Amino acid sequence: MTATQERPAEAAKEIGRDRRRKEDQRLITGRTRWTDNIVLPGMVHVAMVRSPFAHARITGIDKSAAEASPNVVSVITGADVADVQGALPNAWPITPDQVAPAHPPIAVDRVVFAGEIVAVVVARSAAEARDAAELVDVDYDELPAALELKAAAEATPENGGALAHPDLGTNKSAFWKFDSAEAGTGGNVDEAIAKARADGVVLEREYRQQRLIPAFMEPRSTVVDPTGEQITMWSATQIPHILKFLLAAVTGVSESKIRVIAPDVGGGFGGKLQTTPEEFITFLLARRLGKPVKYTETRSESLMAAHHGRDQWQKLTISAEKDGTVTGLKVELLADLGSHVSLIGGGVPVLGAFMFNAIYKFPAYQFNCQTVLTNKTWTDAYRGAGRPEATFGIERIMDDLAAELGVDPFELREKNWIKHEEFPFTTVAGLEYDSGNYEAATANAKAMFGYDELRAEQKRRRESGDRVQLGIGVSTFTEMCGLAPSRVLGSLDYGAGGWEHASVRMLPTGKVEVLTGASAHGQGHETAFSQIVADRLGVAFEDVEILHGDTQVAHKGLDTYGSRSLVVGGEAIVKAADKVIDKAKVIAAHLLEASEDDLEFSGGRFSVKGTDQGLAMAEVALATFAAHNLPDGVEPSLDSDATFDPVNFNYPHGTHLCAMEVDTETGQVTMRKYAACDDIGNIINPLIVEGQLHGGLVQGIAQALWEEAVYDDAGTLVTGSFVDYLLPTAADTISFDLDHTTSPATTNTLGTKGVGEAGTIASTPAVVNAVVDALRPLGVDDVRMPCTPERVWKAINDARGGQKAETVGAAAPHFDPSTGMEGTVDRTTGGADA
């Protein structure tokens, strides 16, 4: 432990305080600067011509009418720039033999999803560019499209199945496997399952994670100015530093000649964690034309061509002893990548590999993931990135196992979860959970929810045959977040590190400037980071300014995603601030004619122990600036840099409970109550945390009840507007009951854990478990998301028309969400023949 870390903790003045966000004043009053607000002299505008077909050859493009349109500057096709446009990068090849087709920004001779760019129109105004784009005449020869995930996985040239990229000869991109027996972290899962078939319980389930669209508030926008000494790009992005690096790597332009600025960015949810075709095209056009160029997408373009998320088939097999002690878990995933392997899209399902085991002590575990190419919009990270998918699968099957065993869902979970005294705990997936207390979070959530009372009401409704049944859904989750440890990421072949950088500048006026590589898009960085620095340096909250989102101002960083801003970026700021204190201490001791060992620092003031002599940090900063009386060999600067690379992820957790009322005649579902107790370690700003949780809950609930990206048989997105892609409003949700417990993280000095994705991860299985719980007496054990009234009604109707097996060990009806028909599921117990 360093001397800085040994420094006694001070009474917090800002940390833990509800502070309204600094940034809200300019955001709410419209005095901010979105990318689309930027207007530069001589700027021209871009419109994209996009393919209406999911898969087709481009047989000809007539651009003459567009070129003749008023104020059109240029019309460019993929063939025009084929030799110079490069290809979009994939930063995470999850296996050495991963199949990844080239991804040109503008298609040259073939399109592979509806919405792919085939030509670009540049005009004096955005309206003129859009009008001219409609005049570009493209001839296509339509090809068979690979659209259904399971069929795409099985397609080969020999069986005549549709191939997303026929030249590759397969739709399979990569197969990634983790086996606890091979890794030395647990036993053999096949042996555990075989043993349970003989004298225990085996349950097999298949769940569908539908495709979702990160419907951020601000559409993507890019402006590029090539007219100065540097090429400057403004972009609505989560990753300005990574974007700068990849622009240089793909185009060959020196990094020193590229500046990327992410101004105020209106949301991302992973949807702006990407280097996009539009960014590369705008960069290319600006250099080609020598003029500033702007592109701002329409909302329909955003829904159609910005990357999508989720889209998995999950097959889970769980084994347990007759008393409910789990013995093994086997996961088999099919993950739809869409048309291309995007920046980190191939690795998103792999993140789930470490979370399917969740909070439970599985002795044996195996994870198998096959990524698949289809002729749909490419997928990548969406809020939670792999972890919501994993949490959904394990929490759904734990509920199913509890129902099979006839025990309360909490009884089963408590029997198998990691006890608080067992932390730190190394899981069967090889991760070390550093801290947690599932018992405390669960007890708190149950009390808030009124669990026993609602179970009693549920019993009364069931006994009375009430048309509206009550379901109670449980979700006890943990997640790995603070995407960071560079060595871990390297072991997974991830193309970058996970460190974060910060600089703290102590100005001679006593004010503080903080430069951070974490770039905000709605998280409240400027407020939370100011609170940390104010407490650390003993300065006023108002005297701290946070600078971010500009690669020339904050020149180093790895940006914002994976709930890493506070736990990685915040810790880098702490380390830089501590260096400022250490530098100032040397100068203060000199000025006070005292030994450094005799100085204490508290409340922004250095004082000599046992005396009233001292200097405020502001006084030391001014003396340092003047440099009239510094110790020999000490430079006149307190400014300090720090880079933090944690040795482990951090693991927030919580218990979420949902009560749903389900009308068994119409299928209508209504949320009655939602309570959650989350443990995210020490909290910097409770107000921001509550906002993050509320937003995350609504997104997770929306997956359960409303949202789904749907394609027709031709590969056209039929949910291409907010008329059809159903986003919830405040009128669709209820008030949530939220609380927290605190198990400080041990991997950073703040003791903080991530919160940005927690609500999204936990809420989806809680809601679906509640819907299914209401319908179990009718023989329903699954409803495919989103749980629309039609799907709920159909599940009820199908179950009523079938024969539900009542005897243990029989093959019970199972609703197959892919067909809407009943199949069978292995529910073998007690020596029944497998």
Side-chain angles (χ1 to χ4, degrees), residues 569-604:
E571 189 68 13
I573 290 172
V574 167
K575 289 184 174 297
D578 285 348
K579 288 183 179 180
V580 169
I581 295 169
D582 291 340
K583 285 185 176 181
K585 189 174 187 179
V586 174
I587 297 172
H590 176 77
L591 295 172
L592 292 167
E593 299 181 346
S595 166
E596 290 179 44
D597 294 336
D598 290 334
L599 286 192
E600 295 177 326
F601 181 72
S602 179

Side-chain angles (χ1 to χ4, degrees), residues 416-679:
N416 291 289
W417 69 34
I418 303 159
K419 305 298 189 292
H420 70 273
E421 64 269 15
E422 296 178 286
F423 288 95
F425 184 90
T426 301
T427 74
V428 73
L431 297 182
E432 183 180 273
Y433 294 176
D434 64 324
S435 67
N437 191 328
Y438 309 141
E439 301 97 311
T442 298
N444 201 7
K446 289 176 73 175
M448 284 194 296
F449 189 67
Y451 185 77
D452 293 337
E453 293 85 350
L454 285 169
R455 281 293 184 199
E457 179 185 342
Q458 179 187 59
K459 184 174 184 291
R460 291 194 299 271
R461 288 197 187 194
R462 287 181 175 179
E463 290 173 348
S464 67
D466 197 326
R467 187 189 80 182
V468 179
Q469 288 292 306
L470 179 66
I472 297 171
V474 175
S475 176
T476 47
F477 85 104
T478 189
E479 59 156 322
M480 54 183 278
C481 66
L483 191 65
S486 296
R487 291 184 179 182
V488 175
L489 295 177
S491 71
L492 295 172
D493 298 315
Y494 183 72
W499 49 265
E500 193 48 78
H501 183 79
S503 299
V504 174
R505 297 172 177 168
M506 197 70 222
L507 305 179
T509 57
K511 314 291 187 183
V512 184
E513 286 181 345
V514 179
L515 283 62
T516 173
S519 178
H521 47 280
Q523 294 89 344
H525 288 181
E526 294 176 33
T527 303
F529 289 166
S530 292
Q531 289 178 271
I532 292 169
V533 173
D535 273 1
R536 210 73 180 186
L537 296 181
V539 298
F541 169 80
E542 294 77 11
D543 287 346
V544 183
E545 183 176 7
I546 308 298
L547 305 176
H548 63 88
D550 184 334
T551 62
Q552 188 158 293
V553 175
H555 68 284
K556 291 177 68 175
L558 284 173
D559 305 318
T560 300
Y561 41 85
S563 298
R564 66 189 304 273
S565 297
L566 178 60
V567 297
V568 186
E571 189 68 13
I573 290 172
V574 167
K575 289 184 174 297
D578 285 348
K579 288 183 179 180
V580 169
I581 295 169
D582 291 340
K583 285 185 176 181
K585 189 174 187 179
V586 174
I587 297 172
H590 176 77
L591 295 172
L592 292 167
E593 299 181 346
S595 166
E596 290 179 44
D597 294 336
D598 290 334
L599 286 192
E600 295 177 326
F601 181 72
S602 179
R605 183 176 178 82
F606 293 97
S607 57
V608 181
K609 295 176 186 177
T611 75
D612 58 0
Q613 297 181 60
L615 288 170
M617 175 66 82
E619 294 176 288
V620 178
L622 183 59
T624 303
F625 171 74
H628 296 164
N629 182 18
L630 298 182
D632 292 341
V634 172
E635 62 180 7
S637 173
L638 301 180
D639 298 350
S640 298
D641 294 354
T643 301
F644 177 61
D645 193 352
V647 297
N648 194 4
F649 302 103
N650 67 88
Y651 303 94
H653 69 83
T655 297
H656 288 225
L657 289 163
C658 177
M660 298 291 294
E661 293 183 332
V662 182
D663 189 321
T664 59
E665 291 187 6
T666 66
Q668 180 66 42
V669 298
T670 304
M671 186 172 292
R672 163 88 170 271
K673 190 167 187 178
Y674 197 104
C677 182
D678 286 274
D679 191 324

Side-chain angles (χ1 to χ4, degrees), residues 206-208 313 782-784 814-821:
E206 191 168 76
Y207 305 118
R208 183 71 166 108
W313 275 106
D782 192 30
V783 179
R784 178 174 166 179
H814 174 62
F815 179 64
D816 183 350
S818 66
T819 63
M821 303 296 291

Side-chain angles (χ1 to χ4, degrees), residues 150-349:
K150 289 184 177 179
E154 298 301 321
T156 67
E158 291 74 25
N159 65 23
L163 297 177
H165 298 267
D167 54 309
L168 300 179
T170 181
N171 290 323
K172 294 181 178 180
S173 177
F175 179 77
W176 195 92
K177 177 180 178 180
F178 176 87
D179 189 292
S180 62
E182 295 174 2
T185 56
N188 185 295
V189 75
D190 291 325
E191 292 177 1
I193 292 170
K195 185 177 186 301
R197 290 193 192 280
D199 57 15
V201 182
V202 174
L203 221 62
E204 184 179 285
R205 285 288 188 270
E206 191 168 76
Y207 305 118
R208 183 71 166 108
Q209 280 280 323
Q210 79 269 39
R211 178 177 281 244
L212 301 177
I213 301 175
F216 31 72
M217 181 166 54
E218 176 206 18
R220 297 175 303 161
S221 183
T222 303
V223 175
V224 179
D225 182 3
T227 59
E229 290 297 316
Q230 291 178 305
I231 303 172
T232 301
M233 172 184 281
W234 292 263
S235 183
T237 181
Q238 296 176 221
I239 53 169
H241 296 88
I242 294 172
L243 177 56
K244 173 187 173 181
F245 166 73
L246 291 175
L247 282 170
V250 170
T251 66
V253 177
S254 170
E255 275 192 82
S256 65
K257 296 298 182 183
I258 300 174
R259 178 184 184 183
V260 175
I261 301 170
D264 286 309
V265 176
F269 312 122
K272 294 174 183 171
L273 196 174
Q274 198 59 252
T275 50
T276 69
E278 294 85 355
E279 286 166 332
F280 280 95
I281 290 168
T282 310
F283 190 84
L284 171 66
L285 291 173
R287 294 180 66 206
R288 187 181 179 100
L289 299 173
K291 298 173 180 289
V293 176
K294 177 193 282 188
Y295 168 75
T296 300
E297 68 185 0
T298 64
R299 181 58 71 180
S300 60
E301 285 182 298
S302 177
L303 294 172
M304 177 173 58
H307 80 245
H308 294 172
R310 312 285 194 255
D311 208 346
Q312 295 180 359
W313 275 106
Q314 304 174 328
K315 181 180 178 182
L316 275 67
T317 305
I318 192 170
S319 61
E321 297 175 3
K322 291 179 181 179
D323 68 354
T325 302
V326 295
T327 60
L329 178 67
K330 187 173 187 177
V331 178
E332 297 165 271
L333 290 191
L334 283 179
D336 192 342
L337 300 179
S339 60
H340 293 93
V341 186
S342 60
L343 187 64
I344 61 170
V348 165

